[in-house]
Structures are given as structure tokens and as C-alpha cells.
Amino acid sequence: GPMIASRRALFTWLVCVGAAAACNQPEAPRGPVARAELGVFFGGQVQERKEIPFTLDRTKQTQGFRLTFHEALRAPVAVRWEIDRPAPRGRGRAVELGDAQARVGMRVFDQELMMKPGDPPGAWSVRVFVGDEVVVERRVEIYDPRTRRRDPVLSKRARP
């Protein structure tokens, strides 16, 4: 009867709407990476931060990125990174390139990004590639904790 026909039409309409909504979802990563984090390694976690204090003391702080894969890797994967940061002695910008390989069987890949003596404070732009896919693209402000005041309101005002 007409009731069954209208239910079928409603169901068909809902399926079409659902399919259209699915098409508008952001594209899922094509590669093996389920999650990519950039920040400070702390207590087995990665604290993702917009600002990281400059320190050379690796017993106090290490920073870098962590890639968590959907499953243990069945084949090795190329990992590359680019760090665009202020050059020493105020000479513009410097770009540091790095690469490594995530090995078969890995579920998590950690890469420390080291600070070096003479690195000036300022914005670091970090891009991480797994294969040809960009999995991290972030700016992080590296600041000198000795020159920044403790009061957050004052330190916001004092920053250039």
C-alpha cells in the first residue's frame, strides 16, 4: 500500500542523504599514520604545546614528534622532517632536514628534535612527512625561560 511505498521512499532518501554527508567528510589519511603529535615528551606522553621553553638539558626536557600507526608496520616507512627556524646570530632563517625509517613491526615512532647551543628563540615551523603524506604541519614558539617573566599577563604584553 501507500504506507510501504512512502517508507521505502523515506529510506531511499535517508540513504542518499547519508551518502552525501559521507562524501563531505574530510579525507582520512591515506597512509599508515593514525595519529601524529608534536611537543614535549613527558611521562610517556607527548604534551602538544604552542610554546616550548628553550633548554639544552635533556634530563629536564626532550621535544619532538610521535607517530602512532594504525597497526604494526608490515613494511618499512620513510619518515622525513623539515624545521624552519631562526638562524643563529640573527641571520634570517635556517632549515634543518632530517630523515629516518620506521621499521617493520613498529606501532609507534618517536623522533627527538634537539635544540642546539646558540639557537635563538622564535617560531619553528615543523613539517613531518610519512612517505609523500604531510602528517604534521605546525608552528611552535621556542622561548627563553630566563628572559620571560613568570606573570602570564606581563609576559604576553612584553613579547614583541
mmCIF file of all heavy atoms in Angstrom, residues 53-82:
data_model
loop_
_atom_site.group_PDB
_atom_site.id
_atom_site.type_symbol
_atom_site.label_atom_id
_atom_site.label_comp_id
_atom_site.label_asym_id
_atom_site.label_seq_id
_atom_site.Cartn_x
_atom_site.Cartn_y
_atom_site.Cartn_z
ATOM 1 N N PRO A 53 59.729 25.950 26.101
ATOM 2 C CA PRO A 53 60.905 26.668 26.583
ATOM 3 C C PRO A 53 62.185 26.091 25.971
ATOM 4 O O PRO A 53 62.296 24.879 25.784
ATOM 5 C CB PRO A 53 60.870 26.453 28.094
ATOM 6 C CG PRO A 53 60.036 25.235 28.301
ATOM 7 C CD PRO A 53 59.082 25.153 27.147
ATOM 8 N N PHE A 54 63.146 26.960 25.676
ATOM 9 C CA PHE A 54 64.444 26.532 25.160
ATOM 10 C C PHE A 54 65.252 25.949 26.307
ATOM 11 O O PHE A 54 65.403 26.564 27.352
ATOM 12 C CB PHE A 54 65.197 27.720 24.546
ATOM 13 C CG PHE A 54 66.572 27.350 24.064
ATOM 14 C CD1 PHE A 54 66.747 26.855 22.782
ATOM 15 C CD2 PHE A 54 67.681 27.464 24.890
ATOM 16 C CE1 PHE A 54 68.005 26.490 22.328
ATOM 17 C CE2 PHE A 54 68.948 27.104 24.446
ATOM 18 C CZ PHE A 54 69.109 26.615 23.163
ATOM 19 N N THR A 55 65.766 24.743 26.117
ATOM 20 C CA THR A 55 66.694 24.167 27.088
ATOM 21 C C THR A 55 67.582 23.154 26.379
ATOM 22 O O THR A 55 67.131 22.470 25.461
ATOM 23 C CB THR A 55 65.983 23.506 28.288
ATOM 24 O OG1 THR A 55 66.974 22.995 29.172
ATOM 25 C CG2 THR A 55 65.069 22.382 27.869
ATOM 26 N N LEU A 56 68.835 23.103 26.804
ATOM 27 C CA LEU A 56 69.765 22.098 26.292
ATOM 28 C C LEU A 56 69.843 20.907 27.235
ATOM 29 O O LEU A 56 70.452 19.896 26.905
ATOM 30 C CB LEU A 56 71.164 22.710 26.120
ATOM 31 C CG LEU A 56 71.242 23.865 25.117
ATOM 32 C CD1 LEU A 56 72.618 24.519 25.162
ATOM 33 C CD2 LEU A 56 70.924 23.383 23.711
ATOM 34 N N ASP A 57 69.222 21.010 28.415
ATOM 35 C CA ASP A 57 69.284 19.961 29.424
ATOM 36 C C ASP A 57 68.251 18.875 29.117
ATOM 37 O O ASP A 57 67.071 19.019 29.417
ATOM 38 C CB ASP A 57 69.039 20.570 30.807
ATOM 39 C CG ASP A 57 69.233 19.559 31.928
ATOM 40 O OD1 ASP A 57 69.332 18.345 31.632
ATOM 41 O OD2 ASP A 57 69.299 19.989 33.097
ATOM 42 N N ARG A 58 68.721 17.778 28.515
ATOM 43 C CA ARG A 58 67.816 16.703 28.109
ATOM 44 C C ARG A 58 67.270 15.922 29.297
ATOM 45 O O ARG A 58 66.321 15.159 29.139
ATOM 46 C CB ARG A 58 68.515 15.780 27.111
ATOM 47 C CG ARG A 58 68.855 16.512 25.811
ATOM 48 C CD ARG A 58 69.615 15.657 24.813
ATOM 49 N NE ARG A 58 68.775 14.562 24.350
ATOM 50 C CZ ARG A 58 69.124 13.287 24.435
ATOM 51 N NH1 ARG A 58 70.276 12.937 24.942
ATOM 52 N NH2 ARG A 58 68.311 12.352 23.991
ATOM 53 N N THR A 59 67.865 16.095 30.493
ATOM 54 C CA THR A 59 67.291 15.438 31.679
ATOM 55 C C THR A 59 66.039 16.184 32.136
ATOM 56 O O THR A 59 65.195 15.623 32.816
ATOM 57 C CB THR A 59 68.297 15.369 32.850
ATOM 58 O OG1 THR A 59 68.634 16.700 33.261
ATOM 59 C CG2 THR A 59 69.559 14.619 32.458
ATOM 60 N N LYS A 60 65.920 17.467 31.761
ATOM 61 C CA LYS A 60 64.741 18.260 32.140
ATOM 62 C C LYS A 60 63.655 18.220 31.069
ATOM 63 O O LYS A 60 62.473 18.286 31.379
ATOM 64 C CB LYS A 60 65.147 19.727 32.355
ATOM 65 C CG LYS A 60 65.942 19.944 33.623
ATOM 66 C CD LYS A 60 65.924 21.407 34.014
ATOM 67 C CE LYS A 60 66.507 21.590 35.393
ATOM 68 N NZ LYS A 60 67.697 22.417 35.400
ATOM 69 N N GLN A 61 64.059 18.156 29.781
ATOM 70 C CA GLN A 61 63.067 18.253 28.714
ATOM 71 C C GLN A 61 63.611 17.674 27.417
ATOM 72 O O GLN A 61 64.739 17.939 27.040
ATOM 73 C CB GLN A 61 62.712 19.731 28.497
ATOM 74 C CG GLN A 61 61.861 20.008 27.273
ATOM 75 C CD GLN A 61 61.672 21.504 27.078
ATOM 76 O OE1 GLN A 61 61.107 22.171 27.922
ATOM 77 N NE2 GLN A 61 62.158 22.029 25.966
ATOM 78 N N THR A 62 62.786 16.873 26.760
ATOM 79 C CA THR A 62 63.057 16.490 25.373
ATOM 80 C C THR A 62 61.794 16.789 24.576
ATOM 81 O O THR A 62 60.676 16.677 25.085
ATOM 82 C CB THR A 62 63.442 14.999 25.219
ATOM 83 O OG1 THR A 62 62.428 14.197 25.794
ATOM 84 C CG2 THR A 62 64.788 14.697 25.861
ATOM 85 N N GLN A 63 61.976 17.198 23.348
ATOM 86 C CA GLN A 63 60.851 17.558 22.498
ATOM 87 C C GLN A 63 61.035 16.878 21.154
ATOM 88 O O GLN A 63 62.139 16.519 20.774
ATOM 89 C CB GLN A 63 60.727 19.075 22.332
ATOM 90 C CG GLN A 63 61.931 19.766 21.698
ATOM 91 C CD GLN A 63 63.127 19.853 22.651
ATOM 92 O OE1 GLN A 63 62.965 20.082 23.843
ATOM 93 N NE2 GLN A 63 64.319 19.656 22.120
ATOM 94 N N GLY A 64 59.901 16.712 20.461
ATOM 95 C CA GLY A 64 59.966 16.059 19.160
ATOM 96 C C GLY A 64 58.579 15.674 18.710
ATOM 97 O O GLY A 64 57.596 16.290 19.098
ATOM 98 N N PHE A 65 58.529 14.632 17.871
ATOM 99 C CA PHE A 65 57.218 14.191 17.386
ATOM 100 C C PHE A 65 57.074 12.689 17.568
ATOM 101 O O PHE A 65 58.055 11.952 17.638
ATOM 102 C CB PHE A 65 56.968 14.617 15.933
ATOM 103 C CG PHE A 65 57.931 14.067 14.912
ATOM 104 C CD1 PHE A 65 57.719 12.830 14.315
ATOM 105 C CD2 PHE A 65 59.036 14.806 14.521
ATOM 106 C CE1 PHE A 65 58.596 12.339 13.368
ATOM 107 C CE2 PHE A 65 59.922 14.323 13.562
ATOM 108 C CZ PHE A 65 59.701 13.075 12.985
ATOM 109 N N ARG A 66 55.816 12.283 17.691
ATOM 110 C CA ARG A 66 55.455 10.865 17.807
ATOM 111 C C ARG A 66 54.436 10.547 16.733
ATOM 112 O O ARG A 66 53.439 11.256 16.575
ATOM 113 C CB ARG A 66 54.857 10.583 19.190
ATOM 114 C CG ARG A 66 54.243 9.176 19.296
ATOM 115 C CD ARG A 66 53.832 8.848 20.705
ATOM 116 N NE ARG A 66 55.063 8.738 21.498
ATOM 117 C CZ ARG A 66 55.079 8.766 22.825
ATOM 118 N NH1 ARG A 66 53.959 8.909 23.516
ATOM 119 N NH2 ARG A 66 56.219 8.643 23.472
ATOM 120 N N LEU A 67 54.688 9.461 16.020
ATOM 121 C CA LEU A 67 53.749 8.941 15.030
ATOM 122 C C LEU A 67 53.203 7.621 15.559
ATOM 123 O O LEU A 67 53.973 6.737 15.948
ATOM 124 C CB LEU A 67 54.455 8.692 13.694
ATOM 125 C CG LEU A 67 55.231 9.874 13.114
ATOM 126 C CD1 LEU A 67 55.973 9.463 11.854
ATOM 127 C CD2 LEU A 67 54.315 11.053 12.855
ATOM 128 N N THR A 68 51.890 7.508 15.616
ATOM 129 C CA THR A 68 51.242 6.260 16.019
ATOM 130 C C THR A 68 50.570 5.686 14.780
ATOM 131 O O THR A 68 49.773 6.374 14.131
ATOM 132 C CB THR A 68 50.202 6.513 17.135
ATOM 133 O OG1 THR A 68 50.855 7.188 18.215
ATOM 134 C CG2 THR A 68 49.602 5.206 17.636
ATOM 135 N N PHE A 69 50.919 4.460 14.447
ATOM 136 C CA PHE A 69 50.404 3.831 13.230
ATOM 137 C C PHE A 69 49.102 3.084 13.509
ATOM 138 O O PHE A 69 48.849 2.663 14.643
ATOM 139 C CB PHE A 69 51.461 2.883 12.640
ATOM 140 C CG PHE A 69 52.758 3.577 12.334
ATOM 141 C CD1 PHE A 69 53.896 3.319 13.083
ATOM 142 C CD2 PHE A 69 52.836 4.521 11.327
ATOM 143 C CE1 PHE A 69 55.098 3.973 12.820
ATOM 144 C CE2 PHE A 69 54.023 5.193 11.056
ATOM 145 C CZ PHE A 69 55.151 4.913 11.797
ATOM 146 N N HIS A 70 48.283 2.918 12.462
ATOM 147 C CA HIS A 70 47.019 2.179 12.589
ATOM 148 C C HIS A 70 47.270 0.764 13.095
ATOM 149 O O HIS A 70 46.473 0.218 13.853
ATOM 150 C CB HIS A 70 46.295 2.095 11.235
ATOM 151 C CG HIS A 70 45.782 3.415 10.753
ATOM 152 N ND1 HIS A 70 44.723 4.058 11.342
ATOM 153 C CD2 HIS A 70 46.198 4.223 9.739
ATOM 154 C CE1 HIS A 70 44.500 5.205 10.715
ATOM 155 N NE2 HIS A 70 45.380 5.330 9.747
ATOM 156 N N GLU A 71 48.364 0.159 12.656
ATOM 157 C CA GLU A 71 48.722 -1.197 13.060
ATOM 158 C C GLU A 71 50.234 -1.325 12.947
ATOM 159 O O GLU A 71 50.895 -0.453 12.367
ATOM 160 C CB GLU A 71 48.035 -2.228 12.160
ATOM 161 C CG GLU A 71 48.386 -2.082 10.689
ATOM 162 C CD GLU A 71 47.621 -3.036 9.774
ATOM 163 O OE1 GLU A 71 46.748 -3.775 10.263
ATOM 164 O OE2 GLU A 71 47.917 -3.038 8.580
ATOM 165 N N ALA A 72 50.779 -2.397 13.509
ATOM 166 C CA ALA A 72 52.221 -2.630 13.405
ATOM 167 C C ALA A 72 52.601 -2.622 11.917
ATOM 168 O O ALA A 72 51.901 -3.214 11.086
ATOM 169 C CB ALA A 72 52.577 -3.964 14.050
ATOM 170 N N LEU A 73 53.677 -1.920 11.598
ATOM 171 C CA LEU A 73 54.075 -1.784 10.193
ATOM 172 C C LEU A 73 54.445 -3.138 9.592
ATOM 173 O O LEU A 73 55.178 -3.918 10.192
ATOM 174 C CB LEU A 73 55.259 -0.821 10.076
ATOM 175 C CG LEU A 73 54.964 0.642 10.397
ATOM 176 C CD1 LEU A 73 56.249 1.469 10.322
ATOM 177 C CD2 LEU A 73 53.906 1.221 9.470
ATOM 178 N N ARG A 74 53.944 -3.360 8.391
ATOM 179 C CA ARG A 74 54.266 -4.597 7.667
ATOM 180 C C ARG A 74 55.408 -4.372 6.682
ATOM 181 O O ARG A 74 55.946 -5.315 6.131
ATOM 182 C CB ARG A 74 53.033 -5.086 6.916
ATOM 183 C CG ARG A 74 51.928 -5.479 7.870
ATOM 184 C CD ARG A 74 50.700 -5.950 7.150
ATOM 185 N NE ARG A 74 49.636 -6.162 8.125
ATOM 186 C CZ ARG A 74 48.404 -6.439 7.789
ATOM 187 N NH1 ARG A 74 48.052 -6.550 6.529
ATOM 188 N NH2 ARG A 74 47.491 -6.614 8.732
ATOM 189 N N ALA A 75 55.720 -3.102 6.450
ATOM 190 C CA ALA A 75 56.841 -2.748 5.574
ATOM 191 C C ALA A 75 57.477 -1.492 6.156
ATOM 192 O O ALA A 75 56.801 -0.708 6.821
ATOM 193 C CB ALA A 75 56.341 -2.477 4.152
ATOM 194 N N PRO A 76 58.780 -1.284 5.936
ATOM 195 C CA PRO A 76 59.410 -0.067 6.447
ATOM 196 C C PRO A 76 58.789 1.178 5.792
ATOM 197 O O PRO A 76 58.309 1.104 4.661
ATOM 198 C CB PRO A 76 60.884 -0.213 6.065
ATOM 199 C CG PRO A 76 60.984 -1.400 5.183
ATOM 200 C CD PRO A 76 59.691 -2.141 5.207
ATOM 201 N N VAL A 77 58.780 2.270 6.529
ATOM 202 C CA VAL A 77 58.178 3.515 6.041
ATOM 203 C C VAL A 77 59.204 4.645 6.193
ATOM 204 O O VAL A 77 59.823 4.782 7.250
ATOM 205 C CB VAL A 77 56.901 3.848 6.859
ATOM 206 C CG1 VAL A 77 56.357 5.208 6.486
ATOM 207 C CG2 VAL A 77 55.836 2.786 6.652
ATOM 208 N N ALA A 78 59.359 5.445 5.135
ATOM 209 C CA ALA A 78 60.273 6.591 5.173
ATOM 210 C C ALA A 78 59.619 7.736 5.930
ATOM 211 O O ALA A 78 58.465 8.092 5.681
ATOM 212 C CB ALA A 78 60.615 7.034 3.753
ATOM 213 N N VAL A 79 60.366 8.313 6.889
ATOM 214 C CA VAL A 79 59.904 9.469 7.662
ATOM 215 C C VAL A 79 60.905 10.588 7.408
ATOM 216 O O VAL A 79 62.110 10.394 7.534
ATOM 217 C CB VAL A 79 59.854 9.145 9.174
ATOM 218 C CG1 VAL A 79 59.401 10.366 9.971
ATOM 219 C CG2 VAL A 79 58.943 7.955 9.451
ATOM 220 N N ARG A 80 60.395 11.774 6.995
ATOM 221 C CA ARG A 80 61.262 12.936 6.765
ATOM 222 C C ARG A 80 60.687 14.113 7.535
ATOM 223 O O ARG A 80 59.483 14.171 7.763
ATOM 224 C CB ARG A 80 61.288 13.325 5.278
ATOM 225 C CG ARG A 80 61.881 12.317 4.354
ATOM 226 C CD ARG A 80 61.904 12.826 2.902
ATOM 227 N NE ARG A 80 60.567 13.071 2.371
ATOM 228 C CZ ARG A 80 60.105 14.256 1.952
ATOM 229 N NH1 ARG A 80 60.856 15.338 2.017
ATOM 230 N NH2 ARG A 80 58.892 14.372 1.476
ATOM 231 N N TRP A 81 61.551 15.068 7.895
ATOM 232 C CA TRP A 81 61.052 16.272 8.554
ATOM 233 C C TRP A 81 61.869 17.481 8.123
ATOM 234 O O TRP A 81 63.021 17.365 7.706
ATOM 235 C CB TRP A 81 61.027 16.116 10.066
ATOM 236 C CG TRP A 81 62.336 15.785 10.705
ATOM 237 C CD1 TRP A 81 63.253 16.660 11.216
ATOM 238 C CD2 TRP A 81 62.889 14.479 10.901
ATOM 239 N NE1 TRP A 81 64.333 15.984 11.729
ATOM 240 C CE2 TRP A 81 64.138 14.651 11.539
ATOM 241 C CE3 TRP A 81 62.451 13.185 10.594
ATOM 242 C CZ2 TRP A 81 64.943 13.569 11.889
ATOM 243 C CZ3 TRP A 81 63.254 12.119 10.940
ATOM 244 C CH2 TRP A 81 64.487 12.314 11.577
ATOM 245 N N GLU A 82 61.209 18.626 8.203
ATOM 246 C CA GLU A 82 61.824 19.932 7.905
ATOM 247 C C GLU A 82 61.515 20.840 9.078
ATOM 248 O O GLU A 82 60.367 20.925 9.511
ATOM 249 C CB GLU A 82 61.192 20.568 6.663
ATOM 250 C CG GLU A 82 61.323 19.777 5.396
ATOM 251 C CD GLU A 82 60.487 20.375 4.253
ATOM 252 O OE1 GLU A 82 59.763 21.379 4.448
ATOM 253 O OE2 GLU A 82 60.546 19.803 3.151
#
